[in-house]
Amino acid sequence: MNYDTIKVRFQSPVCFIQFFRPQANNTINDLLVEECLSVLSQYEDTATIIVLEGLPEVFCFGADFEATINNNGKVKGPEPLYDLWLKLAQGPFISIAYVRGKANAGGIGFVAACDIVIADETAQFSLSELLFGLLPACVMPFLVRRIGFQKAQYLTLMTRPVPVHQAHAWGLVDAYDATGDTLLRTHLLRLRYLSKQGIVRYKHLMRSLYDLSQSKSLAIEANKEVFSDTENLQRIERYVKTGLFPWEH
């Protein structure tokens, strides 16, 4: 199938999904979420491994602010995106995020939802939402599960990028090296030995131990609240039109 926002290839038993919105900095819009969910539904019974990757300079930079402004804030809302992250976290496959370049805001959601995170030395990670009066509401349940409350809080409040070595020390990244490609291949060679049934049983156990769906309603309501705030939407619109952050004149 042909997709507008992603590129997909299946090399049994691995399904590769590449975010491909180079003109939009690999930001997240409704169609990207829809297409990713479609691919996961298509391959969840046949793939044992799902690999998410972006472009060399940017993995995923978060929400598409232009789409938010062009639709007067009326997008489908955060629930489909939360469901996509739930699928990556709890689906019957091993999910891997292969990060090069920038991962910001919702991009961190994809990273934190995956079972394994591999990166190269260019990778950097940030949560910029509070700069615009927004919250990483849907990201937080996945991020806290991965790195703990205080590190997730620090990343949220400081809003600045952290380099890959810091992200590795915090547990956000599992392994990294200079290029990442060889590291990814090494992991895939090992993970191919795992049976589909073994993976299904393991993911079922982990879902029972840490049920991310319990946080869904709170996260979605908090997200809707900040994206319906007129002042926040004005900050976003100004940034889209001028490139200026809220405190810049």
Side-chain angles (χ1 to χ4, degrees):
M1 293 182 62
N2 293 320
Y3 299 95
D4 292 326
T5 66
I6 58 177
K7 290 184 175 182
V8 179
R9 69 186 192 277
F10 183 63
Q11 298 174 351
S12 184
V14 185
C15 177
F16 295 86
I17 302 174
Q18 181 186 24
F19 303 134
F20 195 78
R21 302 191 69 216
Q23 304 306 317
N25 215 21
N26 263 12
T27 49
I28 305 165
N29 63 5
D30 289 340
L31 183 58
L32 183 141
V33 174
E34 179 183 324
E35 291 185 338
C36 285
L37 282 169
S38 174
V39 172
L40 293 183
S41 296
Q42 180 181 351
Y43 288 106
E44 68 179 353
D45 292 331
T46 53
T48 60
I49 305 166
I50 302 289
V51 177
L52 294 182
E53 54 188 333
L55 299 169
E57 299 81 17
V58 57
F59 173 73
C60 174
F61 207 67
D64 185 343
F65 278 176
E66 288 197 18
T68 301
I69 295 305
N70 292 337
N71 291 282
N72 296 316
K74 301 184 188 307
V75 292
K76 286 187 178 179
E79 186 166 2
L81 181 57
Y82 198 97
D83 288 340
L84 173 54
W85 293 342
L86 274 179
K87 180 73 76 172
L88 290 170
Q90 301 180 346
F93 43 72
I94 301 164
S95 54
I96 300 176
Y98 175 35
V99 183
R100 297 170 293 168
K102 299 174 182 177
N104 177 61
I108 300 292
F110 280 106
V111 172
C114 285
D115 300 315
I116 295 173
V117 179
I118 295 168
D120 71 8
E121 289 184 341
T122 69
Q124 55 179 296
F125 305 84
S126 56
L127 291 175
S128 60
E129 286 90 340
L130 274 175
L131 296 175
F132 298 91
L134 307 174
L135 300 173
C138 292
V139 174
M140 290 303 280
F142 299 88
L143 187 61
V144 169
R145 180 189 68 149
R146 176 167 268 276
I147 66 174
F149 177 88
Q150 186 55 38
K151 291 182 177 65
Q153 177 169 258
Y154 184 80
L155 194 61
T156 301
L157 296 177
M158 293 306 297
T159 69
R160 63 188 180 193
V162 299
V164 67
H165 66 84
Q166 184 66 67
H168 181 258
W170 287 354
L172 183 58
V173 171
D174 295 302
Y176 75 97
D177 66 9
T179 63
D181 290 343
T182 301
L183 196 60
L184 176 61
R185 285 194 297 270
T186 302
H187 279 72
L188 293 179
L189 285 172
R190 185 67 183 183
L191 292 169
R192 287 173 187 268
Y193 292 135
L194 303 182
S195 70
K196 181 68 172 179
Q197 187 59 47
I199 293 169
V200 169
R201 286 171 174 159
Y202 170 74
K203 295 297 287 283
H204 177 75
L205 170 64
M206 297 308 290
R207 182 170 66 250
S208 300
L209 293 175
Y210 196 102
D211 188 1
L212 289 158
S213 62
Q214 293 182 357
S215 304
K216 179 179 174 179
S217 59
L218 288 174
I220 288 173
E221 287 306 311
N223 183 283
K224 288 180 178 179
E225 180 181 359
V226 295
F227 272 98
S228 63
D229 187 303
T230 303
E231 291 186 1
N232 290 345
L233 292 176
Q234 289 173 347
R235 295 185 186 104
I236 293 172
E237 183 174 12
R238 181 174 181 265
Y239 176 75
V240 169
K241 291 181 176 179
T242 67
L244 296 175
F245 287 102
W247 65 88
E248 295 178 318
H249 300 286

